[in-house]
Amino acid sequence: MSSFDLAIPVVLKHEGGFADHPKDPGGATNWGISIRYLRSIGEILDLDGDGDMDAADMQILPQGTAIEIYREMIWDPGRYGQISDQDVATKVFDLAVNMGARQAHKLLQRALRACGVTLTEDGVIGMVTLAATNKVPGFPQLAALRSEAAGFYRALAAKKPDLAVFLNNWIKRAYS
């Protein structure tokens, strides 16, 4: 089975440190954890003690806190540890961090269909998707998943031109 401890360095490398890009709908972000995401899950981190959660708090978000959030809110609920191929688990996790779990799971399901598996694209890693993921060899599945991710990013940038500024990095991430 796959290991969170092997997957998290990939995510942290892709996400990097603090950023507050004006075109990022997530707002201030550190280690890939955005202020919008924290608010969406009802998490308020007033790290600087000024009575609110703002960009200043995100700037000092400890890496260890981000890692805990990733494990508890994305890795464990996503069941990525039950995926037998580490590279596939890491890629789905990395995509879930960047685009949301439901979309990343749909891309995994599309990749599995590209590998000849018949399954429903519902964005849920349930027993059928897990069984298929663990049956299909990792290399072709990973290649299909990378292709699906790149296509998703291109379509997103075309649909929302303000996000096109991120496309080159998204494509690099898709194929990494």
Side-chain angles (χ1 to χ4, degrees):
M1 296 291 102
S2 296
S3 166
F4 175 81
D5 292 334
L6 294 175
I8 192 64
V10 172
V11 169
L12 295 174
K13 177 183 172 196
H14 288 157
E15 290 296 343
F18 179 74
D20 194 6
H21 194 285
K23 294 198 179 205
D24 185 345
T29 303
N30 202 353
W31 307 114
I33 304 293
S34 72
I35 196 165
R36 183 178 83 175
Y37 174 73
L38 290 176
R39 288 178 176 147
S40 77
I41 62 170
E43 186 70 41
I44 306 299
L45 297 177
D46 178 20
L47 300 172
D48 63 5
D50 69 353
D52 66 1
M53 182 174 69
D54 56 17
D57 296 298
M58 297 309 296
Q59 195 164 11
I60 60 174
L61 178 74
Q63 186 182 63
T65 300
I67 290 170
E68 288 174 29
I69 291 168
Y70 283 138
R71 182 187 297 273
E72 293 172 18
M73 302 305 294
I74 300 177
W75 178 269
D76 290 344
R79 303 173 74 182
Y80 308 130
Q82 295 177 41
I83 296 173
S84 59
D85 187 279
Q86 180 69 50
D87 292 334
V88 171
T90 299
K91 178 53 70 183
V92 177
F93 173 51
D94 185 47
L95 293 173
V97 166
N98 186 250
M99 65 180 61
R102 185 171 173 80
Q103 185 60 55
H105 299 171
K106 284 182 179 184
L107 296 182
L108 173 64
Q109 291 166 333
R110 287 180 198 159
L112 289 166
R113 287 195 351 232
C115 292
V117 175
T118 302
L119 58 91
T120 303
E121 182 186 314
D122 61 5
V124 176
I125 296 186
M127 296 308 296
V128 173
T129 300
L130 267 176
T133 299
N134 290 334
K135 182 178 179 185
V136 173
F139 181 76
Q141 186 178 172
L142 188 59
L145 182 56
R146 287 174 170 153
S147 179
E148 292 293 342
F152 170 81
Y153 288 134
R154 287 184 183 105
L156 180 61
K159 183 178 178 181
K160 298 182 177 184
D162 281 355
L163 298 179
V165 67
F166 303 113
L167 184 58
N168 286 339
N169 285 334
W170 286 344
I171 296 298
K172 287 177 190 173
R173 186 176 194 153
Y175 287 115
S176 69

